[in-house]
Amino acid sequence: MAIEEKVKQVEALFDRLEIEITAFKSETHLYCNAGCGKCCSTPNIDASPLEFLPWAFHLFLNGKAEETLVELKNNEVKNCHLYRSISILEYQKGSCSNYRYRGLVCRLFGYAANTDKFGKLRMATCKIIKEQQTENFTKAEDLINKKTYVPIFSDYYMRLAQIDLRMGVILIPINEALKIAIEEVLSYYAYRPFPDGLGNIA
């Protein structure tokens, strides 16, 4: 399957998830605090290279893939390369530098569920939401127990792997996933022409 087709399929999966999360947020009234980057600033986040393929393809189309790959190879920090904090002193406040192309893990966390060891669905969200939005969080858990639909991490990662098993099934440190995604795109186009009509897409 061509890289362009994989990118389209990953983006279609993200679009479907966005619709489901919007509906779930509307029902539960859960929300992330404005300017909060606590989960993004956490080191040791794992992701798959495939969920960042649209981001890597975007960089390639805009001539920034090689320089970003060099930055990643020189980066020894474990925190996500895309996260931008307000300052060193306020590291847990900030935002994603490329929010439109954020990964699947970034989209799911806070508004999706995991299955616990008893087979029960539990919200996968942060301590801030649990403590500051107790009523909404409890309502969300109650709705899930009553079989209200909620996106599930494992379901979405299975759907992702169906697009490309090799790139979609592995979970590795997020910066490694970013690096492999870029390498995949650069390798694919090393001996292929630039995609027709896709130059400089913002």
Side-chain angles (χ1 to χ4, degrees):
M1 188 192 301
I3 285 278
E4 298 100 306
E5 184 56 34
K6 289 179 189 176
V7 168
K8 284 178 185 175
Q9 290 192 24
V10 173
E11 289 183 333
L13 184 68
F14 288 171
D15 288 344
R16 173 180 172 171
L17 175 60
E18 189 63 32
I19 291 167
E20 292 180 356
I21 285 177
T22 299
F24 187 70
K25 285 164 74 174
S26 176
E27 197 157 4
T28 61
H29 304 293
L30 288 172
Y31 61 91
C32 286
N33 291 346
C36 180
K38 186 172 173 61
C39 60
C40 308
S41 67
T42 304
N44 306 317
I45 296 170
D46 287 341
S48 70
L50 186 58
E51 63 197 270
F52 286 104
L53 197 65
W55 168 77
F57 187 60
H58 166 73
L59 291 178
F60 174 73
L61 294 179
N62 287 278
K64 295 180 180 177
E66 289 92 347
E67 66 181 83
T68 306
L69 184 58
V70 170
E71 289 173 9
L72 280 162
K73 286 181 175 178
N74 293 331
N75 181 16
E76 296 181 2
V77 179
K78 291 183 179 179
N79 300 81
C80 180
H81 181 73
L82 298 179
Y83 177 65
R84 299 290 180 269
S85 63
I86 291 175
S87 68
I88 294 172
L89 295 176
E90 292 186 285
Y91 194 75
Q92 292 184 350
K93 291 183 179 179
S95 60
C96 179
S97 62
N98 216 323
Y99 188 77
R100 178 180 171 186
Y101 293 102
R102 68 198 186 281
L104 182 59
V105 64
C106 318
R107 296 166 190 268
L108 286 166
F109 189 74
Y111 306 109
N114 276 323
T115 307
D116 68 16
K117 61 182 179 180
F118 302 108
K120 192 172 183 180
L121 290 176
R122 299 280 187 194
M123 281 298 298
T125 193
C126 71
K127 189 177 179 183
I128 293 172
I129 286 178
K130 287 178 183 176
E131 292 180 353
Q132 294 183 8
Q133 300 176 45
T134 308
E135 192 175 323
N136 292 345
F137 175 74
T138 303
K139 180 183 178 182
E141 294 253 283
D142 288 344
L143 286 170
I144 292 169
N145 290 334
K146 292 172 183 173
K147 306 302 180 187
T148 295
Y149 179 79
V150 59
I152 301 169
F153 267 78
S154 57
D155 286 357
Y156 264 92
Y157 272 97
M158 276 195 290
R159 290 172 189 160
L160 187 73
Q162 287 169 359
I163 298 169
D164 184 313
L165 187 62
R166 178 178 59 85
M167 290 180 67
V169 78
I170 57 169
L171 290 175
I172 53 179
I174 196 163
N175 288 337
E176 284 299 309
L178 294 171
K179 188 164 65 175
I180 291 172
I182 294 176
E183 289 172 342
E184 188 76 15
V185 174
L186 290 175
S187 174
Y188 182 83
Y189 286 109
Y191 302 103
R192 289 180 176 89
F194 195 88
D196 288 336
L198 292 174
N200 269 344
I201 294 179

Short mmCIF file of all heavy atoms in Angstrom, two decimals, residues 78-117:
data_model
loop_
_atom_site.label_atom_id
_atom_site.label_comp_id
_atom_site.label_asym_id
_atom_site.label_seq_id
_atom_site.Cartn_x
_atom_site.Cartn_y
_atom_site.Cartn_z
N LYS A 78 13.54 12.47 26.98
CA LYS A 78 12.52 11.44 26.78
C LYS A 78 11.12 12.02 26.55
O LYS A 78 10.25 11.33 26.06
CB LYS A 78 12.49 10.51 28.00
CG LYS A 78 13.73 9.64 28.11
CD LYS A 78 13.64 8.69 29.29
CE LYS A 78 14.87 7.81 29.37
NZ LYS A 78 14.82 6.88 30.52
N ASN A 79 10.93 13.29 26.92
CA ASN A 79 9.62 13.91 26.72
C ASN A 79 9.34 14.08 25.23
O ASN A 79 10.27 14.23 24.43
CB ASN A 79 9.57 15.27 27.41
CG ASN A 79 9.81 15.15 28.90
OD1 ASN A 79 10.95 15.04 29.33
ND2 ASN A 79 8.75 15.14 29.67
N CYS A 80 8.07 14.09 24.86
CA CYS A 80 7.67 14.19 23.46
C CYS A 80 8.31 15.40 22.78
O CYS A 80 8.23 16.52 23.28
CB CYS A 80 6.15 14.25 23.34
SG CYS A 80 5.59 14.38 21.62
N HIS A 81 8.90 15.16 21.65
CA HIS A 81 9.58 16.20 20.87
C HIS A 81 8.63 17.31 20.43
O HIS A 81 9.04 18.46 20.23
CB HIS A 81 10.22 15.55 19.64
CG HIS A 81 10.96 16.50 18.75
ND1 HIS A 81 12.19 17.04 19.10
CD2 HIS A 81 10.66 17.01 17.52
CE1 HIS A 81 12.61 17.84 18.14
NE2 HIS A 81 11.71 17.85 17.18
N LEU A 82 7.34 16.98 20.30
CA LEU A 82 6.36 17.95 19.81
C LEU A 82 5.80 18.85 20.90
O LEU A 82 5.15 19.85 20.61
CB LEU A 82 5.20 17.22 19.11
CG LEU A 82 5.56 16.40 17.89
CD1 LEU A 82 4.33 15.72 17.31
CD2 LEU A 82 6.22 17.27 16.83
N TYR A 83 6.05 18.49 22.16
CA TYR A 83 5.50 19.28 23.27
C TYR A 83 6.31 20.55 23.48
O TYR A 83 7.54 20.52 23.49
CB TYR A 83 5.48 18.46 24.55
CG TYR A 83 5.00 19.23 25.76
CD1 TYR A 83 3.71 19.71 25.84
CD2 TYR A 83 5.86 19.51 26.82
CE1 TYR A 83 3.26 20.44 26.93
CE2 TYR A 83 5.44 20.22 27.93
CZ TYR A 83 4.14 20.69 27.98
OH TYR A 83 3.70 21.41 29.07
N ARG A 84 5.61 21.68 23.64
CA ARG A 84 6.26 22.97 23.92
C ARG A 84 5.70 23.52 25.23
O ARG A 84 4.52 23.86 25.32
CB ARG A 84 5.99 23.97 22.79
CG ARG A 84 6.52 23.53 21.43
CD ARG A 84 8.04 23.56 21.37
NE ARG A 84 8.52 23.14 20.06
CZ ARG A 84 8.81 21.90 19.72
NH1 ARG A 84 8.66 20.91 20.60
NH2 ARG A 84 9.25 21.61 18.50
N SER A 85 6.57 23.60 26.24
CA SER A 85 6.14 24.15 27.53
C SER A 85 6.21 25.68 27.50
O SER A 85 6.92 26.26 26.66
CB SER A 85 7.02 23.63 28.65
OG SER A 85 8.36 24.06 28.46
N ILE A 86 5.46 26.30 28.41
CA ILE A 86 5.49 27.76 28.52
C ILE A 86 6.89 28.22 28.92
O ILE A 86 7.43 29.17 28.39
CB ILE A 86 4.44 28.24 29.56
CG1 ILE A 86 3.03 28.02 29.03
CG2 ILE A 86 4.65 29.71 29.90
CD1 ILE A 86 1.94 28.35 30.01
N SER A 87 7.47 27.49 29.89
CA SER A 87 8.82 27.82 30.35
C SER A 87 9.39 26.63 31.11
O SER A 87 8.68 25.66 31.38
CB SER A 87 8.79 29.04 31.28
OG SER A 87 8.13 28.70 32.50
N ILE A 88 10.66 26.70 31.44
CA ILE A 88 11.30 25.64 32.22
C ILE A 88 10.65 25.54 33.61
O ILE A 88 10.47 24.45 34.15
CB ILE A 88 12.82 25.91 32.37
CG1 ILE A 88 13.49 25.81 30.98
CG2 ILE A 88 13.47 24.90 33.31
CD1 ILE A 88 14.93 26.25 30.96
N LEU A 89 10.28 26.69 34.15
CA LEU A 89 9.69 26.72 35.49
C LEU A 89 8.25 26.21 35.48
O LEU A 89 7.76 25.70 36.48
CB LEU A 89 9.74 28.14 36.06
CG LEU A 89 11.13 28.72 36.32
CD1 LEU A 89 11.03 30.16 36.79
CD2 LEU A 89 11.88 27.87 37.36
N GLU A 90 7.57 26.39 34.36
CA GLU A 90 6.18 25.92 34.25
C GLU A 90 6.09 24.85 33.15
O GLU A 90 5.38 25.00 32.17
CB GLU A 90 5.24 27.09 33.94
CG GLU A 90 5.11 28.08 35.07
CD GLU A 90 4.05 29.14 34.76
OE1 GLU A 90 4.34 30.03 33.95
OE2 GLU A 90 2.96 29.06 35.35
N TYR A 91 6.83 23.78 33.35
CA TYR A 91 6.96 22.76 32.30
C TYR A 91 5.66 22.01 32.04
O TYR A 91 5.44 21.50 30.96
CB TYR A 91 8.08 21.76 32.66
CG TYR A 91 8.47 20.92 31.48
CD1 TYR A 91 9.24 21.45 30.45
CD2 TYR A 91 8.05 19.59 31.36
CE1 TYR A 91 9.60 20.70 29.34
CE2 TYR A 91 8.39 18.83 30.26
CZ TYR A 91 9.16 19.40 29.25
OH TYR A 91 9.49 18.65 28.14
N GLN A 92 4.79 21.94 33.06
CA GLN A 92 3.53 21.21 32.88
C GLN A 92 2.43 22.07 32.28
O GLN A 92 1.29 21.63 32.16
CB GLN A 92 3.08 20.60 34.21
CG GLN A 92 4.03 19.50 34.67
CD GLN A 92 3.56 18.81 35.93
OE1 GLN A 92 2.63 19.25 36.59
NE2 GLN A 92 4.20 17.71 36.27
N LYS A 93 2.78 23.28 31.89
CA LYS A 93 1.85 24.13 31.14
C LYS A 93 2.43 24.34 29.75
O LYS A 93 3.58 24.75 29.60
CB LYS A 93 1.65 25.48 31.84
CG LYS A 93 0.90 25.38 33.16
CD LYS A 93 0.68 26.74 33.77
CE LYS A 93 -0.10 26.64 35.09
NZ LYS A 93 -0.30 27.96 35.71
N GLY A 94 1.62 24.05 28.75
CA GLY A 94 2.13 24.18 27.38
C GLY A 94 1.16 23.56 26.40
O GLY A 94 -0.01 23.35 26.71
N SER A 95 1.67 23.25 25.21
CA SER A 95 0.79 22.71 24.18
C SER A 95 1.60 21.93 23.14
O SER A 95 2.83 21.97 23.13
CB SER A 95 0.04 23.84 23.48
OG SER A 95 0.96 24.74 22.88
N CYS A 96 0.87 21.25 22.26
CA CYS A 96 1.50 20.49 21.18
C CYS A 96 1.87 21.47 20.06
O CYS A 96 1.08 22.32 19.68
CB CYS A 96 0.53 19.43 20.66
SG CYS A 96 1.20 18.45 19.30
N SER A 97 3.07 21.33 19.52
CA SER A 97 3.52 22.23 18.46
C SER A 97 2.93 21.86 17.10
O SER A 97 3.05 22.60 16.14
CB SER A 97 5.06 22.22 18.36
OG SER A 97 5.51 20.91 18.02
N ASN A 98 2.30 20.68 17.03
CA ASN A 98 1.66 20.27 15.78
C ASN A 98 0.39 19.49 16.10
O ASN A 98 0.24 18.31 15.77
CB ASN A 98 2.62 19.43 14.94
CG ASN A 98 2.46 19.70 13.46
OD1 ASN A 98 1.35 19.92 12.98
ND2 ASN A 98 3.55 19.68 12.72
N TYR A 99 -0.54 20.18 16.77
CA TYR A 99 -1.75 19.56 17.32
C TYR A 99 -2.58 18.83 16.27
O TYR A 99 -3.13 17.77 16.53
CB TYR A 99 -2.60 20.66 17.99
CG TYR A 99 -3.78 20.14 18.77
CD1 TYR A 99 -3.60 19.58 20.04
CD2 TYR A 99 -5.07 20.23 18.25
CE1 TYR A 99 -4.70 19.12 20.76
CE2 TYR A 99 -6.17 19.77 18.96
CZ TYR A 99 -5.97 19.21 20.22
OH TYR A 99 -7.05 18.75 20.93
N ARG A 100 -2.66 19.38 15.09
CA ARG A 100 -3.45 18.77 14.02
C ARG A 100 -2.96 17.35 13.69
O ARG A 100 -3.75 16.48 13.32
CB ARG A 100 -3.38 19.64 12.77
CG ARG A 100 -4.13 19.06 11.58
CD ARG A 100 -4.02 19.98 10.37
NE ARG A 100 -4.54 19.36 9.17
CZ ARG A 100 -4.46 19.88 7.97
NH1 ARG A 100 -3.88 21.06 7.80
NH2 ARG A 100 -4.95 19.25 6.91
N TYR A 101 -1.65 17.14 13.85
CA TYR A 101 -1.06 15.85 13.49
C TYR A 101 -0.63 15.04 14.72
O TYR A 101 0.26 14.19 14.64
CB TYR A 101 0.14 16.07 12.55
CG TYR A 101 -0.29 16.61 11.21
CD1 TYR A 101 -0.14 17.97 10.91
CD2 TYR A 101 -0.86 15.79 10.26
CE1 TYR A 101 -0.54 18.47 9.68
CE2 TYR A 101 -1.27 16.29 9.02
CZ TYR A 101 -1.11 17.63 8.74
OH TYR A 101 -1.53 18.12 7.53
N ARG A 102 -1.26 15.30 15.86
CA ARG A 102 -0.92 14.55 17.07
C ARG A 102 -1.30 13.07 16.89
O ARG A 102 -2.12 12.72 16.06
CB ARG A 102 -1.61 15.15 18.30
CG ARG A 102 -3.12 15.01 18.32
CD ARG A 102 -3.74 16.00 19.30
NE ARG A 102 -5.18 15.79 19.46
CZ ARG A 102 -6.09 16.21 18.59
NH1 ARG A 102 -5.73 16.82 17.48
NH2 ARG A 102 -7.38 16.01 18.82
N GLY A 103 -0.69 12.23 17.71
CA GLY A 103 -0.87 10.79 17.56
C GLY A 103 -2.16 10.25 18.17
O GLY A 103 -2.93 10.99 18.79
N LEU A 104 -2.37 8.96 18.00
CA LEU A 104 -3.57 8.30 18.51
C LEU A 104 -3.60 8.34 20.03
O LEU A 104 -4.65 8.60 20.63
CB LEU A 104 -3.61 6.85 18.01
CG LEU A 104 -4.82 6.02 18.41
CD1 LEU A 104 -6.13 6.65 17.94
CD2 LEU A 104 -4.70 4.59 17.86
N VAL A 105 -2.47 8.08 20.67
CA VAL A 105 -2.42 8.08 22.14
C VAL A 105 -2.81 9.44 22.69
O VAL A 105 -3.51 9.55 23.71
CB VAL A 105 -1.02 7.64 22.66
CG1 VAL A 105 0.07 8.62 22.28
CG2 VAL A 105 -1.04 7.42 24.17
N CYS A 106 -2.42 10.50 22.00
CA CYS A 106 -2.72 11.87 22.42
C CYS A 106 -4.22 12.16 22.30
O CYS A 106 -4.79 12.90 23.10
CB CYS A 106 -1.96 12.88 21.57
SG CYS A 106 -0.25 12.43 21.24
N ARG A 107 -4.84 11.57 21.30
CA ARG A 107 -6.26 11.79 21.05
C ARG A 107 -7.13 10.99 22.03
O ARG A 107 -8.18 11.46 22.46
CB ARG A 107 -6.60 11.39 19.60
CG ARG A 107 -5.91 12.26 18.57
CD ARG A 107 -5.97 11.65 17.17
NE ARG A 107 -5.11 12.38 16.26
CZ ARG A 107 -5.48 13.39 15.49
NH1 ARG A 107 -6.75 13.78 15.52
NH2 ARG A 107 -4.65 14.00 14.69
N LEU A 108 -6.69 9.79 22.36
CA LEU A 108 -7.48 8.91 23.22
C LEU A 108 -7.43 9.29 24.69
O LEU A 108 -8.44 9.25 25.39
CB LEU A 108 -7.00 7.46 23.06
CG LEU A 108 -7.38 6.72 21.78
CD1 LEU A 108 -6.55 5.45 21.64
CD2 LEU A 108 -8.86 6.39 21.77
N PHE A 109 -6.23 9.65 25.17
CA PHE A 109 -6.07 9.84 26.61
C PHE A 109 -6.98 10.95 27.14
O PHE A 109 -7.02 12.04 26.61
CB PHE A 109 -4.62 10.15 26.98
CG PHE A 109 -4.38 10.15 28.46
CD1 PHE A 109 -4.33 8.96 29.16
CD2 PHE A 109 -4.25 11.34 29.17
CE1 PHE A 109 -4.14 8.95 30.54
CE2 PHE A 109 -4.05 11.34 30.54
CZ PHE A 109 -4.00 10.14 31.22
N GLY A 110 -7.70 10.62 28.19
CA GLY A 110 -8.63 11.58 28.80
C GLY A 110 -10.06 11.31 28.43
O GLY A 110 -10.98 11.59 29.20
N TYR A 111 -10.26 10.74 27.23
CA TYR A 111 -11.64 10.56 26.73
C TYR A 111 -11.88 9.14 26.21
O TYR A 111 -12.75 8.92 25.37
CB TYR A 111 -11.93 11.56 25.62
CG TYR A 111 -11.65 12.98 26.03
CD1 TYR A 111 -10.57 13.69 25.52
CD2 TYR A 111 -12.46 13.61 26.98
CE1 TYR A 111 -10.31 14.99 25.92
CE2 TYR A 111 -12.21 14.91 27.38
CZ TYR A 111 -11.13 15.60 26.85
OH TYR A 111 -10.88 16.88 27.25
N ALA A 112 -11.11 8.19 26.71
CA ALA A 112 -11.26 6.80 26.28
C ALA A 112 -11.08 5.90 27.49
O ALA A 112 -10.75 6.35 28.58
CB ALA A 112 -10.25 6.47 25.19
N ALA A 113 -11.32 4.61 27.27
CA ALA A 113 -11.26 3.66 28.38
C ALA A 113 -10.27 2.53 28.09
O ALA A 113 -9.95 2.23 26.94
CB ALA A 113 -12.65 3.07 28.64
N ASN A 114 -9.80 1.93 29.17
CA ASN A 114 -9.01 0.70 29.13
C ASN A 114 -9.80 -0.38 29.83
O ASN A 114 -10.67 -0.09 30.67
CB ASN A 114 -7.67 0.89 29.84
CG ASN A 114 -6.62 1.50 28.94
OD1 ASN A 114 -6.56 1.20 27.76
ND2 ASN A 114 -5.78 2.36 29.51
N THR A 115 -9.47 -1.62 29.54
CA THR A 115 -10.09 -2.74 30.25
C THR A 115 -9.20 -3.16 31.41
O THR A 115 -8.01 -3.40 31.22
CB THR A 115 -10.27 -3.95 29.29
OG1 THR A 115 -10.98 -3.49 28.12
CG2 THR A 115 -11.08 -5.05 29.95
N ASP A 116 -9.76 -3.22 32.63
CA ASP A 116 -8.95 -3.61 33.79
C ASP A 116 -8.82 -5.14 33.84
O ASP A 116 -9.33 -5.86 32.98
CB ASP A 116 -9.52 -3.03 35.09
CG ASP A 116 -10.88 -3.61 35.48
OD1 ASP A 116 -11.26 -4.67 34.95
OD2 ASP A 116 -11.56 -3.01 36.34
N LYS A 117 -8.12 -5.64 34.87
CA LYS A 117 -7.84 -7.08 34.95
C LYS A 117 -9.09 -7.92 35.16
O LYS A 117 -9.07 -9.14 34.99
CB LYS A 117 -6.83 -7.35 36.06
CG LYS A 117 -7.28 -6.95 37.46
CD LYS A 117 -6.18 -7.24 38.47
CE LYS A 117 -6.59 -6.81 39.87
NZ LYS A 117 -5.53 -7.07 40.87
#
